[in-house]
Amino acid sequence: MTPESDFSDAEIEAGRRLFAGEWGFLSAASSVASLPPGQGLEVAFAGRSNVGKSSLINALTGRRSLARTSNTPGRTQELIFFRGAGPLVLVDLPGYGYAAAAKSKVSAWTRLIHDYLQGRAVLGRVYVLIDARHGFKSADDTILDTLGKVAVSHQIVLTKCDQVSAADLSACVDATKAALKKRPAAFPETITTSSHTGAGIPELRAAIARLLSERTRPVNMHRSG
Ligand code: GTP
Ligand code: MG
């Protein structure tokens, strides 16, 4: 199987095209009851508060402020759904772990995130974002435990790679790979990104385009007679 970090020129181009069109707000949900009806294929972005989830959605879609970002952790407070022209829906999740919000709020978001991840039939992949400056934290283990139990493919994306030296980035990639050895449900490769410089964004688009083509490929019918 081709690793989920290795893409042909044709796949990079397919990724570019997938995200080149218009993107807009679809809906927001603060409870499981208010989730929009599942349609198309959802790709969700999870991670600790301030790791850069909303910024990554903006970088992927080439929009400066499609998703709201902030210097203060705890900006995204609901599940926010964005749609493009095709079947793909991007889901910006509230951060878990530390946030500049009341503890009760953060624990309610965390519960909502876990309920969403466990019960969403149209959820095709979850990208778990890790800040390359900080690496894995215990809150990341909790989300990876949940994802390991449900049959949703998931992969680690390192963010803010512009903020670390090449040597530190490579150490972070190695440490992440080592941690993933204990987690066979996750892709063993990571994608390293920077929403500020655009590094890794074409590859992440290509990964999502590959997922979409795998999930929407017509079933081969063999008919006799
Ligand atoms: P919550 O919604 O609060 O959970 O945060 P989030 O994970 O959505 O993070 P957000 O995208 O709001 O970004 C948080 C801060 O990190 C902002 O100040 C961003 O400008 C900054 N940031 C995001 N991505 C990058 C990056 O690739 N490089 C650098 N240097 N800063 C980044
Ligand atoms: Mg956010």
Side-chain angles (χ1 to χ4, degrees):
M1 227 177 85
T2 324
E4 279 296 312
S5 53
D6 195 3
F7 302 98
S8 68
D9 290 349
E11 286 182 306
I12 294 284
E13 173 57 15
R16 190 195 62 76
R17 270 189 276 115
L18 178 62
F19 285 92
E22 281 300 308
W23 283 85
F25 173 81
L26 176 62
S27 61
S30 53
S31 67
V32 169
S34 58
L35 287 172
Q39 49 181 309
L41 187 75
E42 288 175 2
V43 171
F45 297 84
R48 299 180 79 236
S49 295
N50 203 245
V51 74
K53 301 172 291 295
S54 303
S55 301
L56 192 64
I57 288 177
N58 290 338
L60 285 169
T61 57
R63 301 289 179 282
R64 199 175 281 273
S65 54
L66 180 64
R68 282 198 213 147
T69 65
S70 155
N71 285 325
T72 318
R75 168 73 259 187
T76 308
Q77 308 211 342
E78 293 172 296
L79 277 67
I80 315 281
F81 296 75
F82 301 101
R83 110 177 121 197
L88 182 62
V89 173
L90 302 178
V91 188
D92 191 8
L93 300 177
Y96 49 73
Y98 169 79
K103 273 218 166 88
S104 59
K105 262 193 167 180
V106 178
S107 68
W109 299 340
T110 306
R111 217 168 27 247
L112 173 62
I113 293 165
H114 283 257
D115 288 348
Y116 166 77
L117 296 178
Q118 285 167 0
R120 192 72 170 166
V122 294
L123 181 57
R125 179 160 304 157
V126 179
Y127 286 105
V128 177
L129 278 52
I130 308 276
D131 190 323
R133 297 172 302 181
H134 308 313
F136 260 97
K137 299 282 175 190
S138 61
D140 300 315
D141 281 317
T142 310
I143 207 91
L144 288 167
D145 286 345
T146 294
L147 287 167
K149 286 182 205 140
V150 296
V152 178
S153 82
H154 52 285
Q155 186 172 16
I156 301 292
V157 169
L158 298 180
T159 62
K160 307 195 188 184
C161 294
D162 56 289
Q163 293 287 299
V164 294
S165 68
D168 286 350
L169 182 58
S170 138
C172 185
V173 168
D174 290 347
T176 308
K177 272 194 187 146
L180 287 174
K181 284 219 171 94
K182 290 180 292 184
R183 300 191 171 277
F187 281 110
E189 310 90 13
T190 58
I191 299 185
T192 55
T193 63
S194 165
S195 298
H196 284 195
T197 67
I201 301 301
E203 288 76 12
L204 188 52
R205 288 179 181 143
I208 296 171
R210 185 189 283 173
L211 170 75
L212 197 64
S213 78
E214 285 167 359
R215 297 299 167 90
T216 54
R217 194 174 286 161
V219 178
N220 224 346
M221 304 284 280
H222 294 288
R223 289 200 186 135
S224 56

